[in-house]
Amino acid sequence: MSRGKLSVLESAMLIAGSGLGTGILAIPYAASRTGFFSIVLFIIIAYAVSTVLHLLAADLVLHSKNSSQLIGLFKEHLFRGKYENILTLFFFVILAVVLFLNLTIYIIVASDVMATVMPLPDNTAKIIFYLISSVIVFCGIKIIGISEKYSMFFIFLVVLYLSLLSSRNIIRDLDFTFGNPVTALALYGILMFSFSALFSVPQVVNNIENKSKIKFAIAAGIGANALITMIFTIAVLIASEEITSVATIGLSRSIGLVSQTACSIFVLLAMFTSYWSIALAQLDIIHEQTNLNRNLCWLAATLPTLFISIFLPAAYISYIQLAGGSVALIIGCLLLPAYYNSIVNSNDKLILGRIGKSKFLLLFIFVFYLIMALSSFIKI
């Protein structure tokens, strides 16, 4: 496995690709049940809160010795005393389940697209997607960074193309209201999940070639995700006769067969980019906790996702909300106090400067992630 350094652009696209997965496909469905003003407002809020949290996570990595993944960070700054090993094992299992769940979603969604377009038997499509994705992960961080960079470039082009087609086939006007506040909260939760690249932060911080650009890479990566999300959501809202739970299905039905290929490429690339980054995080976590050969850890991090996708399929939106709520609880309960413990007695310069030590800022971020967790229980 290669361990080359990431350029600033590769780092930013790793952050962008990590979050740009299944969440973006569900956002237009939730957005269709609220007003355009709330869509804009919550994209801005979700971007701001997510960026600050990810910068705090970057500082946590920089102020830690065990910085390859989250479990090591928690063990160093939170899990102390006679229950240290028990707590470490418990949260190792929790994180593994959350990441396996995410990776399974990517396989299921991608295989559905492949089986429709090719066509292929469903399980064959799952195996093909798994083989391509896992090989990229096996090649290591540098190959993943390069793959993320070019994939995100093509995703942006495809989204622009879909927005152009949509502008020529407008079916409905945008609803310039705030809409139902409860539904808007559900939209906020999915946006926060879609912008989350928490597990990729240690990869970026530890592998970026210019550490002075960490702040830019994180802000630009989440910003690219937010921009693509906004463009895609508007395209779906104005041009879909029926806005489906997987947005590309309704959009391709409405703007014709010419868009089917573009929608399929968009979904597949979004699933690939997310699978690569999350699977690498899972690999690092397993390697960090077991000290096994990285090749064995790669197999342990990826192969179960194929079996889970084949034998335990489940509802799409439910997966997203469950994963989003789990991530929010992990962040709120563990990452923020771990961050505070890592910097409270430090005189080093922080990415956010003096405000990085503000308890009010940490409480503010915690409240917004608590809202995200609660929003996962709202039915869309």
Side-chain angles (χ1 to χ4, degrees):
M1 294 185 180
S2 65
R3 302 292 294 178
K5 292 295 182 180
L6 297 173
S7 69
V8 176
L9 181 58
E10 289 164 356
S11 299
M13 293 305 99
L14 181 60
I15 293 291
S18 178
L20 192 72
T22 50
I24 192 173
L25 302 179
I27 286 170
Y29 182 75
S32 67
R33 283 151 173 75
T34 187
F36 182 72
F37 286 148
S38 64
I39 297 169
V40 175
L41 174 65
F42 281 122
I43 284 181
I44 293 172
I45 291 175
Y47 170 74
V49 174
S50 297
T51 300
V52 171
L53 188 280
H54 286 69
L55 293 176
L56 295 177
D59 255 330
L60 172 59
V61 175
L62 290 171
H63 288 82
S64 304
K65 298 176 182 178
N66 302 312
S67 60
S68 64
Q69 262 305 326
L70 293 180
I71 289 291
L73 301 174
F74 296 156
K75 184 175 182 179
E76 181 176 346
H77 300 290
L78 283 181
F79 302 157
R80 299 166 180 170
K82 62 180 181 179
Y83 297 112
E84 175 183 333
N85 292 332
I86 295 176
L87 288 172
T88 300
L89 177 61
F90 175 75
F91 283 100
F92 169 58
V93 172
I94 294 295
L95 280 181
V97 170
V98 169
L99 295 187
F100 278 138
L101 177 62
N102 278 273
L103 293 170
T104 300
I105 298 171
Y106 306 143
I107 294 177
I108 291 174
V109 174
S111 64
D112 285 345
V113 173
M114 294 170 67
T116 301
V117 174
M118 304 268 180
L120 292 169
D122 184 55
N123 286 341
T124 301
K126 290 175 181 176
I127 293 171
I128 292 173
F129 177 83
Y130 165 76
L131 290 175
I132 295 172
S133 300
S134 60
V135 167
I136 295 292
V137 175
F138 180 83
C139 291
I141 185 69
K142 183 62 178 179
I143 299 301
I144 291 175
I146 293 172
S147 301
E148 295 275 6
K149 177 176 64 176
Y150 288 111
S151 295
M152 289 301 300
F153 173 74
F154 281 113
I155 285 175
F156 186 69
L157 291 181
V158 170
V159 169
L160 285 181
Y161 175 67
L162 289 173
S163 68
L164 177 62
L165 291 179
S166 297
S167 67
R168 294 178 177 177
N169 297 272
I170 297 176
I171 294 175
R172 61 168 64 86
D173 295 326
L174 294 173
D175 177 15
F176 288 96
T177 67
F178 281 98
N180 186 298
V182 175
T183 307
L185 281 179
L187 171 62
Y188 163 76
I190 298 178
L191 283 167
M192 290 289 286
F193 171 67
S194 185
F195 292 172
S196 177
L198 178 65
F199 297 105
S200 292
V201 170
Q203 298 163 358
V204 167
V205 174
N206 291 322
N207 294 284
I208 192 170
E209 59 188 9
N210 185 351
K211 291 192 181 295
S212 67
K213 299 295 184 181
I214 290 173
K215 183 177 181 179
F216 173 81
I218 290 175
I222 300 175
N225 191 335
L227 178 62
I228 290 172
T229 297
M230 176 63 83
I231 295 173
F232 178 68
T233 299
I234 293 174
V236 173
L237 291 179
I238 65 174
S240 298
E241 291 183 10
E242 178 189 3
I243 301 173
T244 52
S245 58
V246 179
T248 49
I249 296 176
L251 181 63
S252 60
R253 288 173 184 167
S254 299
I255 59 180
L257 293 176
V258 68
S259 68
Q260 251 186 10
T261 301
C263 286
S264 298
I265 292 172
F266 171 66
V267 173
L268 285 175
L269 288 177
M271 298 307 106
F272 275 125
T273 57
S274 293
Y275 191 100
W276 296 332
S277 56
I278 298 300
L280 181 62
Q282 183 79 303
L283 189 161
D284 286 340
I285 289 172
I286 293 173
H287 178 66
E288 181 182 69
Q289 295 304 305
T290 64
N291 290 319
L292 293 173
N293 178 276
R294 282 190 68 86
N295 291 346
L296 290 177
C297 293
W298 161 76
L299 201 60
T302 61
L303 190 58
T305 66
L306 176 61
F307 292 123
I308 295 172
S309 70
I310 291 174
F311 296 110
L312 294 174
Y316 174 70
I317 293 292
S318 297
Y319 261 152
I320 292 174
Q321 290 188 300
L322 176 60
S326 301
V327 170
L329 290 175
I330 291 170
I331 291 169
C333 295
L334 298 177
L335 191 142
L336 291 174
Y339 163 80
Y340 184 76
N341 288 342
S342 73
I343 58 90
V344 64
N345 295 317
S346 172
N347 294 318
D348 296 339
K349 183 177 180 181
L350 301 177
I351 293 177
L352 290 175
R354 287 184 298 177
I355 195 175
K357 287 191 174 183
S358 169
K359 292 181 180 179
F360 176 78
L361 174 67
L362 300 186
L363 178 61
F364 183 80
I365 297 298
F366 173 79
V367 168
F368 273 92
Y369 271 89
L370 178 61
I371 294 172
M372 173 192 173
L374 294 175
S375 72
S376 65
F377 295 99
I378 300 174
K379 296 295 182 181
I380 301 175

